[in-house]
Amino acid sequence: MMVSVSAAASSAPVGLAPHSSGKMKPSDMERWKRAFARANSYKTRPSTIAATEFFDKANGTENNDASASNEWRTLPDRLVRLCNRLCDGAVGQIPSEKERLALTAAVFAAAPPNFLDAFRDMFAADLTVHQAQWSHDDDDNDEDASENLNPPFNEAEVYGALRTLGWIQTKLAKPMGQALHDTVLSAVRDMIGGEFEDGTMLEQVAQTWKDTVIVPWVRDVVGSDAYEADAWESKLDFAVAECFATIRIGEIFDIVATFPDSMPAVHELRDALDRTRMHTKLATELRASLSRRLIHPGANTSQIISVYCNVIKLLREIDPSDGLLDVVAEPVRSYLRGRNDTVRCIVTSLTDEKAGGDLYEELRRQDARPLEQAQLDSDDEGDAPDYDWSPPPSLFKQRGTMGYVSQSGGTGDILSMLVGIYGSKELFVNEYRVMLADKLLANLDFDTDKEVHNLELLKLRFGELSMRQCEIMIKDIDDSKRINSNIRETIVEKKKKRKEDQQKKKRKKTQQPPEAAEVDEPVVDCAIVSHIFWPALQKEQFKNHPRIQSQLDEFSLEYAAFKNPRRLIWHQMLGTVQVELEVVDEDGGGSHMQEFTCSTLHATLISHFEDKQQWTLEDLATETGLSEESVKKKMGWWIANRVVQLVKGRSGGATVTKYELTSVDELADTEHDSAADSDYYEDDGEEQALSARAQQAEEMQVYESYIFGMLANLGQLPLDRIHNNLKMFASGSDHKYDKTARQLSSFLQKLCKEEKLECGGDGMYRVLKK
């Protein structure tokens, strides 16, 4: 019985208390009648009738216009009539709060879903007219424009009605705020968009434009008393600063790209962020812009580094504590770490004035500190804190004020942050050694003043111990200049003495008067290097032409006598020769002279054409001791300069391709259009790159014994385990392990191709058992 009674009670309507027999009491029936009567009387209330008429007129107008977007055009008149009806029914035409609340409840209860959107459109249309009037104040002659800039409705009457109804502060705060935000955002974009070099933009927007357009309009809408009571001045200042910061944040990548010319815009953005605390939005937008527009394969590494330096400088103007920088720059650091030429581009920018820019100036800063000190935090320093020391603020305070200069952030300069991408300065020192070797070997005048200056600056940043080998390399070039001078004088003196002896013998026979002994100057200058301190150089050898080899042998003999017991070992691929060619036309008897600067191998190849007019590729390869592929590539340089041409010939009954000298007329044309063609056959930077690759291959070869010993004792290992073991056990040796996992992987794959190691499908490396 209790279960059935409970079910009946739960299904009864609210207010219904049935008897146990299921019949309604007379008192309950009376209550229900009174409730229905009150519900029916609601429809006949004045507020309900006014609300119904308010929306009936709106629906009729909307159907005539056939556009929901034009609903706001009838809204001003309807609001005025609604307000008049409220006031007409009130005592003394001043409605009470009860009457106002009743009408408000009735209107918004019957309102359609897009009712507030109509108010937003009405506010936006009126603000647009005020903005247009301000823009055309200086154009007094444009009568047509002045006629079109009249307000769309009677502002005093409509806004007075809204204040009487009491809707502005309660019901219409959101649509009014949306209209204000959209108008301010559009106006600020038109005024400041793309203009980064004017430092008065924020003041012009926040003071002149706001006080002329926005403030009068808001006063008209809310009234002067409400404007002061509700602190609208501070609200509008925040809204303008927020829109200003939003526009600048959207242009942040362009601001970074044009830095430091955009410094005024950066300072104004900093002021706007201090008011709005939109640092998180700035970090998110800049990080996304860098990922989308900068760090992709189509961008040059030097461009990425330049923009990264601009990002560091710009964000330190906004946030000296580097809090923003740590968030924004991490994708750029990771991408640069994965590029093969990042270190070389950084070192080139540091030492080359033409390609340097910010990094070139960074190396020459007067307040620069060694990298070890620049990368240390204040807590890592050995000095004890003084009485002025204070602990850093809490994490909550640091999040709230991004402009706080923390004691650990913002201490590193740009160079230390670039070095910090890899975590080790050894990569940069080794790369500089390779670049320095290329520069010194290509310096035909043995002038090292510029390199000495760069070395001294690098010693201040990287330390003298790291640059000791580079210092020895420069000293080798200086010593070479002195040795070359002594050997050249010795050779000249010996030649003069031999010639004088010959003249004496000749005078004894012919009785002729003595003549001045004139001899040719030596043509060989030699860069003598200490191979222990230099990076790995090209060691490929070939057979020089006899006339070139005789000059080298003469120099070697004099050096052996001058520096006994030392001997010279020639790196023939690294030489540079200045060749003067005289091509004679056998038919007309004319000739043409032209000078070329080329490698020793190029000079050897062209010298053979002085002995014979035509050469096959096989014969030239035999004479030089090189492969036909290497000779063919080098001969392409002479073909590109139109000194040599390809002709078809017969040999042993078969057609073969031969090389022969060009005519005088064709050689004369090389002064105009041969320079661009030479790049097609040979890259100008090939020899420098070969030096770097040779050094890397030789350095990796040192770790081969470590790898074999590791795999022999521990069995099969994955790449990460081998990499970590090398960093642990090879760091204390003479050859410090500073390679990346990608470089180690390439070396292990090379050992697998040489059938020294094998790699299983699970990525485990093991010694190959034969």
Side-chain angles (χ1 to χ4, degrees), residues 581 583 592 594-598 602 606 633-645 660-682 684:
L581 297 181
V583 180
H592 180 80
Q594 189 170 352
E595 292 185 357
F596 295 91
T597 300
C598 58
H602 286 122
I606 199 64
K633 185 176 182 180
K634 296 298 180 180
M635 285 302 299
W637 191 83
W638 288 116
I639 296 175
N641 285 279
R642 299 185 181 178
V643 176
V644 175
Q645 61 183 353
E660 72 172 12
L661 294 176
T662 59
S663 63
V664 176
D665 295 336
E666 292 174 341
L667 183 61
D669 294 336
T670 60
E671 298 177 358
H672 304 286
D673 56 354
S674 64
D677 295 338
S678 62
D679 293 338
Y680 174 79
Y681 294 96
E682 183 174 0
D684 293 336

Side-chain angles (χ1 to χ4, degrees), residues 523-544:
V523 296
V524 177
D525 283 326
C526 181
I528 305 170
V529 302
S530 305
H531 68 92
I532 298 178
F533 302 98
W534 283 66
L537 303 176
Q538 302 175 63
K539 298 180 179 179
E540 187 177 3
Q541 300 293 323
F542 62 90
K543 299 177 184 177
N544 281 310

